[in-house]
Every structure is written in C-alpha cells, then in structure tokens.
Amino acid sequence: MTNTILHLGLMEDGEIELDLAALELAALEHPGIDLDEYLDELTDMEIALRAADGDAVSSAAQAQALSSVMVEEFGFSGDRTHYDDPQNADLIAVVDRRLGLPISLSILYVAMARRLGWSAMPLNTPGHVLVRLGDASDALIIDPFNDGRIVAPEQVEALLEQMTGQARFSDGMLPLSNRSALVRLLLNQATRAEQAGDPARALVLYDRMTIVAPTHAHGWWERARLQLVAGDVAGARSSLSAMLEITRDDDLRLQVSAALDALPRPTSS
C-alpha cells in the first residue's frame, strides 16, 4: 500500500498540499476507505472560511476567521483527555473525531489558510507545534491545539523555556517545510508506537518516513535501528547504506560508516 505515497517523496516541497498528503498517509491505516468524503469535508471548511472572512487582510482577522470556523463551526480542538491516542495523529480520525494533536491540527489550519492564499507556516516549536500567520511585518502566532488562540511572544518564550531550557531557542521559531511537517506527524506516531511496546509498528512508520522524505537522515537511522531489533541485519545494512548516500555531514557520515562496520558480516554459503 505504500505505493500510494511514493509520489510524495518525488514532489518538490512547495508542491505538497499538507492536508491532502496527511490524508493519504492516514489512508494507509484504513484499507479500502474512500477519501472523497474527507476531501469534501475539507472543501466545506474552505467554503465556510471564505464565507466567514475570505477577504481578511490582517493576520489578526485571519486568526479570528480560522478560529470561528475550525472551532466554533466545525468543532476541532486538542485532545487533552487522551493526548497519546494514536488517532490524534491520523488525519482521517482527526476529521471524524474533531480531536487531534498540535501537529495534526496545525496541518489543518495551515492548509485551510493557504487555500485562501494566506501566508501560514507550522513552526518547529519543540513538543507543541504552533502556526505563524502573516508575513514579517504582520506576523502573529496561533495555537491550533488550544482552539486557534493567538499566542503572545512571552507565552512562546515560556513554552520554549519549558521544552528546551532556552527562552529564545532559535530553531523553535523556524518554519517547518511541508515535508518536515509530514515527518513530524510520522515521528509522533512512531515514537508513541515504540513507547507502547510495538517496535514493529514503529518500523512501519519509519519506513513510510523514508518514502515521504528520502533525504531525511533520521528516518533511515531509526529504520536501521529497529531492523536490527527485529534481527534484520541485511535490512539495517541497506538502510544505513541509503543514509550514507544522502548524508553530506562529515561527522554523521563517520557515525554511519562506523555503524556499518560494526554490523555482522554476512556468512557465505
């Protein structure tokens, strides 16, 4: 079934439509599902957003329109009761249940904003993805998990300090590319699967990550690690070799080469 997502790894980052890509990833968990009703639901959200304030120019007005539609009209919110429920990172289940994680809800908000031509980016805030609306001169940050509320700069700094110990952790304010947002969605699922004692499930998700983001080194490394856990030395060697092909960082290349050298050599028959 992963053939259905092969095209995502071949697309230019700017060509990826976040909501559609996240639905395609979710469909892998729902064999035989018809995505048309979910595409129609996304279209309904877009129509409602245009009706609410499709001509909004300021980021504050856009934030208000998003909140009124996504929360008040469609009922989306963060799942505070069962935060670690795997359904919260499955966009099909998120649309069904109207509950999600920061990353899945941020993907929806960003996608809706972009459908109207608004500037919107998910941010690489650790532990809790936020969304930046507007350009540099009129930018503000909203929190889709908390009903799309505007987040003041001091609140962002408090979040960063809580997660990293640094109130001005620069990487935390960098935008996530479309591909990186999908990687973060998959990473969230894989981490929770392994925490739940299901490394086989985690391996499936890291495999998908290498398909969606073939130049993302972390996916290959984790794939190799879990293949070793499963006793698949040949698979781990293949993953590390692929990682070596796409890695340009000298220190990381040394680390990968050392890991390859440490693998048991195949025995001759």
Side-chain angles (χ1 to χ4, degrees):
M1 286 187 65
T2 53
N3 288 341
T4 61
I5 60 169
L6 286 175
H7 65 287
L8 295 175
L10 300 174
M11 296 172 72
E12 294 293 331
D13 191 84
E15 296 174 344
I16 296 173
E17 295 180 76
L18 275 177
D19 50 352
L20 304 187
L23 277 179
E24 289 176 317
L25 286 172
L28 297 175
E29 303 301 319
H30 305 268
I33 195 166
D34 185 355
L35 286 182
D36 285 347
E37 64 178 281
Y38 294 92
L39 297 174
D40 289 344
E41 187 83 358
L42 295 177
T43 299
D44 288 344
M45 294 179 209
E46 176 188 350
I47 292 170
L49 188 57
R50 290 187 185 280
D53 199 352
D55 296 325
V57 175
S58 73
S59 54
Q62 293 169 2
Q64 176 58 42
L66 279 166
S67 180
S68 67
V69 169
M70 300 302 288
V71 179
E72 297 170 21
E73 186 167 345
F74 284 87
F76 286 97
S77 189
D79 190 347
R80 299 166 187 81
T81 305
H82 302 290
Y83 187 88
D84 290 324
D85 189 328
Q87 294 183 98
N88 289 327
D90 174 328
L91 202 66
I92 287 173
V94 170
V95 172
D96 284 340
R97 299 166 67 240
R98 299 298 201 255
L99 294 169
L101 289 172
I103 179 59
S104 54
L105 293 171
S106 291
I107 283 173
L108 273 180
Y109 272 66
V110 166
M112 286 302 115
R114 288 177 176 174
R115 283 175 178 236
L116 270 68
W118 299 346
S119 175
M121 295 291 290
L123 294 176
N124 191 32
T125 35
H128 191 102
V129 176
L130 300 171
V131 168
R132 186 183 71 201
L133 286 177
D135 297 316
S137 61
D138 186 38
L140 56 75
I141 295 173
I142 61 173
D143 184 355
F145 185 81
N146 287 302
D147 300 337
R149 296 173 189 163
I150 295 174
V151 185
E154 58 271 17
Q155 292 174 304
V156 177
E157 290 181 0
L159 173 64
L160 292 175
E161 187 166 16
Q162 176 186 350
M163 295 296 180
T164 69
Q166 303 174 54
R168 297 185 181 277
F169 179 61
S170 59
D171 286 350
M173 298 309 294
L174 293 176
L176 287 166
S177 67
N178 293 326
R179 185 165 277 108
S180 293
L182 297 176
V183 164
R184 185 144 175 180
L185 184 68
L186 288 165
L187 179 60
N188 190 291
Q189 298 176 60
T191 300
R192 281 171 168 73
E194 198 162 4
Q195 288 172 345
D198 192 352
R201 165 71 177 158
L203 178 55
V204 167
L205 291 160
Y206 282 118
D207 185 55
R208 292 173 188 172
M209 190 184 298
T210 62
I211 293 171
V212 170
T215 62
H216 188 80
H218 182 73
W220 291 107
W221 181 264
E222 293 300 313
R223 185 173 184 253
R225 178 179 64 81
L226 289 171
Q227 285 168 323
L228 282 178
V229 169
D232 183 6
V233 176
R237 184 178 298 280
S238 176
S239 293
L240 289 173
S241 297
M243 184 178 175
L244 197 60
E245 286 292 322
I246 58 95
T247 300
R248 296 295 173 260
D249 181 274
D250 289 339
D251 290 339
L252 188 55
R253 288 180 63 82
L254 287 173
Q255 182 181 352
V256 175
S257 295
L260 275 168
D261 290 340
L263 291 178
R265 297 290 177 184
T267 57
S268 56
S269 56

